[in-house]
Amino acid sequence: MQNYINISMILGKKYRVCGGILKNFICLPLLILLLYGCSPYNEQVKKEYDSSHYSTLYKTLEQATQKKNNDLLLWQMQSGFLTFSYFAPHFSLDDLEKAEVLFKGYESEGLLSNVGANIGATLSNDMAMPYKGYIYEGSLLNFYKALAFSSIGDSANARIEFNRANDRQRRAKEYYQKEVKKAHDDAVKAANEKQANTDYANNTTDSSINTILNEKYSNLKNFAIYKDLINPVIPYISGIFFMIEKDFTKSIDLLKEAYGISQADIIANDMQILEARKFARSYPHFTWILIEDGDIARIDGFATTIPIILHNGINSVNLALPYLNDGKANFQTYQINGINADKITQVSQLFGSEFEKRLPAIITRAIISAIVKFTVSYSFNEFGGSYGAIAGLVTTLIFSAVTDTDTRMSLILPDTVWAAKIPNTESKIQIMGDNHLIAELSITTDCDSLPKRQKKNVEFDSLLKAKSQDLSARIHFLKHSNFDNVVCATTDNIVYVRVRHNKATHFIVKGD
């Protein structure tokens, strides 16, 4: 029973407090509670977003980003996504840039790295570890930055960000092929450094993990359809941008990639438009409508019991694991001036595809955590003398209370993305969701919306610099920035629309 004796080795030297853990057993439960990683902002953010209190939510997120905690990247991304979709893309650049800097740091060290080295995660749950994000989120950071730069006429920076978004997601599949195995090996190694134990490796073999996946995650077949983790809307809108910029060679490659995944009719037609424009001196202009709809699938947790083989025989341990709910669509169909929009991306399924690739690492951590907790409780009970039974009971209760799964994710993203286009010969753009009018814009030769966006962007940047801590002034500015209701008839345009709770925001992200 040597593997169950040395609790101080499991905890590590820096956690040897109170002069002798077995004699002063109350210190361990207190330590575990201190390590519990639940953020006080999680439920508040969810409540404010679900009730569409976007201004209040913006304030909450900005306050959360001032706290240097494990969820900093999450809150920084959420603030950027919120600002982009509900206040205007050109106001989101500061938050998106800060979030991408954080994401790049985590990405370079490994999004699944150091999973077993964190004592807090082992004794409590994965929310004690930093939120490092998903690659689809990182790609969207660059994609939204590209659209935000485009919206203020900064084509050079937009081009850079479109390239980064496409490059990042193309590397995703290969990235996970390397990271998942490394994460498993690192978790077992880190656990053994605390206390050598063959049980970690023996209970996290491929067959053990696959058994749990097959029994508990049969629903993932409905999600995991983007095996290469490519979000087709990113190469699609990138391709439209480069076509408008007359970079036809780059555009056609991107459009082909998007069509190969989505098979959307609109993309096939856009490739024909591109070919017609290659040698044309003049050509008709179009307005492309990009619609983000509904709420992305959310992670919840569930508890399950599995048998594991330990040195003292077969034991049952409790695991807390995550699962994906379905995403929530707002409307089932979209029409623009009577033309049916095409569904380009099912974002919830894209999320599910990446979530599936992470599950082996998540389950490995859960099993190792369960073994460590079982080891600590067993050691108290068997070798704790007169205090052992009480210490074992208290520790078991505390472990039960803090054992939870990591449900952190970007709430402020859509369930699906749609696209349509209309010729600029029409006088207006009517956007219908399930035959309900949700937005209307005019098409006019009075092309002055770009200078207005540029002016607003400069004003917002000046406010950030002059009153960086004045959230009230910032919120007042954002709330009084109007939607773009007019598009230019003499340029190609891209209009971004966000639909949620039967309401739409809409902004021009390309065009004068």
Side-chain angles (χ1 to χ4, degrees):
M1 294 296 179
Q2 180 64 34
N3 285 329
Y4 299 110
I5 297 175
N6 199 337
I7 298 171
S8 63
M9 287 186 65
I10 295 172
L11 296 177
K13 290 182 180 179
K14 67 178 180 178
Y15 297 107
R16 294 179 194 172
V17 293
C18 307
I21 292 179
L22 286 176
K23 291 183 179 180
N24 208 338
F25 62 83
I26 193 64
C27 293
L28 178 60
L30 288 175
L31 172 63
I32 297 167
L33 287 174
L34 287 172
L35 293 170
Y36 185 48
C38 186
S39 168
Y41 290 103
N42 284 326
E43 290 304 315
Q44 184 177 353
V45 167
K46 186 183 296 185
K47 180 180 179 180
E48 290 170 355
Y49 185 60
D50 286 346
S51 58
S52 300
H53 293 155
Y54 300 134
S55 296
T56 304
L57 175 57
Y58 177 83
K59 184 176 181 179
T60 298
L61 290 169
E62 288 296 307
Q63 289 172 338
T65 61
Q66 305 306 311
K67 312 292 184 183
K68 304 302 181 184
N69 57 38
N70 285 338
D71 296 336
L72 178 58
L73 170 61
L74 178 62
W75 305 139
Q76 199 71 69
M77 283 197 302
Q78 300 280 70
S79 188
F81 295 157
L82 178 80
T83 307
F84 182 97
S85 296
Y86 298 101
F87 296 113
H90 47 282
F91 299 141
S92 67
L93 281 165
D94 183 67
D95 280 322
L96 293 175
E97 175 63 26
K98 289 176 180 176
E100 208 224 336
V101 169
L102 291 169
F103 184 84
K104 284 171 64 177
Y106 287 136
E107 186 180 40
S108 64
E109 71 181 29
L111 297 182
L112 303 179
S113 67
N114 300 322
V115 293
N118 189 308
I119 188 66
T122 304
L123 288 177
S124 59
N125 59 67
D126 282 0
M127 286 193 281
M129 298 191 304
Y131 182 82
K132 296 186 175 184
Y134 289 76
I135 290 177
Y136 87 93
E137 292 172 320
S139 299
L140 285 173
L141 287 173
N142 293 116
F143 179 62
Y144 288 147
K145 282 172 66 180
L147 295 178
F149 279 123
S150 175
S151 74
I152 54 174
D154 188 346
S155 295
N157 274 312
R159 173 184 290 265
I160 291 170
E161 297 299 335
F162 277 127
N163 288 336
R164 287 175 176 170
N166 285 285
D167 289 343
R168 172 164 278 142
Q169 64 176 5
R170 285 177 193 142
R171 296 193 304 267
K173 182 179 179 181
E174 181 182 353
Y175 186 91
Y176 274 110
Q177 287 174 343
K178 297 176 181 178
E179 282 290 305
V180 169
K181 184 179 186 306
K182 184 176 182 296
H184 172 274
D185 294 345
D186 287 350
V188 172
K189 179 181 177 182
N192 277 317
E193 287 175 354
K194 300 296 181 185
Q195 175 77 20
N197 192 338
T198 58
D199 294 333
Y200 304 131
N202 291 341
N203 287 283
T204 58
T205 61
D206 288 346
S207 61
S208 299
I209 301 299
N210 287 334
T211 296
I212 296 174
L213 288 172
N214 292 332
E215 290 180 354
K216 308 298 182 182
Y217 290 97
S218 59
N219 71 316
L220 275 183
K221 296 176 182 177
N222 301 325
F223 283 87
I225 62 175
Y226 294 95
K227 296 299 184 182
D228 292 333
L229 304 182
I230 301 293
N231 179 352
V233 79
I234 292 179
Y236 174 50
I237 296 300
S238 302
I240 297 300
F241 172 86
F242 285 112
M243 179 172 67
I244 295 172
E245 293 288 306
K246 295 185 171 63
D247 188 340
F248 298 123
T249 301
K250 193 170 189 66
S251 174
I252 192 63
D253 289 340
L254 290 161
L255 292 178
K256 285 178 179 178
E257 181 180 22
Y259 181 75
I261 301 168
S262 71
Q263 300 291 302
D265 290 340
I266 186 175
I267 304 178
N269 182 257
D270 288 333
M271 288 191 282
Q272 295 175 1
I273 292 174
L274 183 150
E275 292 299 326
R277 288 187 175 191
K278 279 185 177 179
F279 307 105
R281 292 187 178 182
S282 62
Y283 42 77
H285 293 290
F286 293 89
T287 295
W288 282 264
I289 315 296
L290 179 69
I291 304 170
E292 293 191 337
D293 171 272
D295 290 330
I296 193 171
R298 293 186 181 182
I299 300 176
D300 274 329
F302 71 98
T304 187
T305 301
I306 66 165
I308 59 174
I309 301 174
L310 302 176
H311 282 193
N312 66 332
I314 298 177
N315 294 269
S316 293
V317 297
N318 296 322
L319 299 185
L321 295 173
Y323 72 93
L324 278 182
N325 292 301
D326 292 333
K328 292 183 179 180
N330 195 123
F331 295 115
Q332 300 299 318
T333 62
Y334 283 92
Q335 304 83 32
I336 304 347
N337 290 11
I339 299 171
N340 288 330
D342 286 348
K343 187 184 292 184
I344 306 298
T345 300
Q346 296 173 282
V347 185
S348 291
Q349 280 74 4
L350 175 70
F351 177 27
S353 297
E354 189 166 354
F355 177 77
E356 181 189 41
K357 292 186 183 299
R358 289 192 174 200
L359 273 175
I362 293 170
I363 295 171
T364 295
R365 289 199 301 269
I367 293 173
I368 289 176
S369 176
I371 293 173
V372 170
K373 291 168 184 174
F374 181 90
T375 299
V376 173
S377 298
Y378 183 93
S379 298
F380 275 129
N381 283 318
E382 292 296 310
F383 307 104
S386 58
Y387 294 105
I390 300 175
L393 175 61
V394 172
T395 303
T396 299
L397 292 173
I398 293 294
F399 280 144
S400 178
V402 302
T403 296
D404 202 356
T405 194
D406 188 352
T407 58
R408 293 172 295 180
M409 54 162 292
S410 292
L411 298 176
I412 308 172
L413 289 173
D415 176 51
T416 52
V417 183
W418 303 71
K421 69 175 177 290
I422 62 166
N424 286 0
T425 52
E426 301 192 25
S427 61
K428 61 184 178 181
I429 302 171
Q430 288 189 321
I431 303 172
M432 311 286 288
D434 292 346
N435 298 315
H436 299 284
L437 180 64
I438 56 173
E440 184 170 302
L441 297 85
S442 299
I443 301 177
T444 177
T445 54
D446 296 329
C447 302
D448 62 351
S449 65
L450 176 57
K452 291 178 180 177
R453 294 195 299 275
Q454 291 171 328
K455 181 174 181 292
K456 282 288 186 180
N457 179 64
V458 171
E459 291 174 353
F460 188 66
D461 283 348
S462 298
L463 177 61
L464 287 178
K465 293 174 184 177
K467 299 180 179 180
S468 60
Q469 303 302 315
D470 192 344
L471 284 176
S472 296
R474 203 184 307 175
I475 291 170
H476 179 80
F477 183 93
L478 294 174
K479 285 175 65 177
H480 290 82
S481 295
N482 296 323
F483 300 155
D484 294 318
N485 290 310
V486 176
V487 297
C488 180
T490 58
T491 64
D492 287 316
N493 311 290
I494 303 174
V495 176
Y496 169 83
V497 182
R498 183 66 169 98
V499 182
R500 186 168 182 267
H501 293 173
N502 294 346
K503 295 181 180 179
T505 56
H506 44 86
F507 309 102
I508 297 172
V509 292
K510 181 68 174 172
D512 296 338

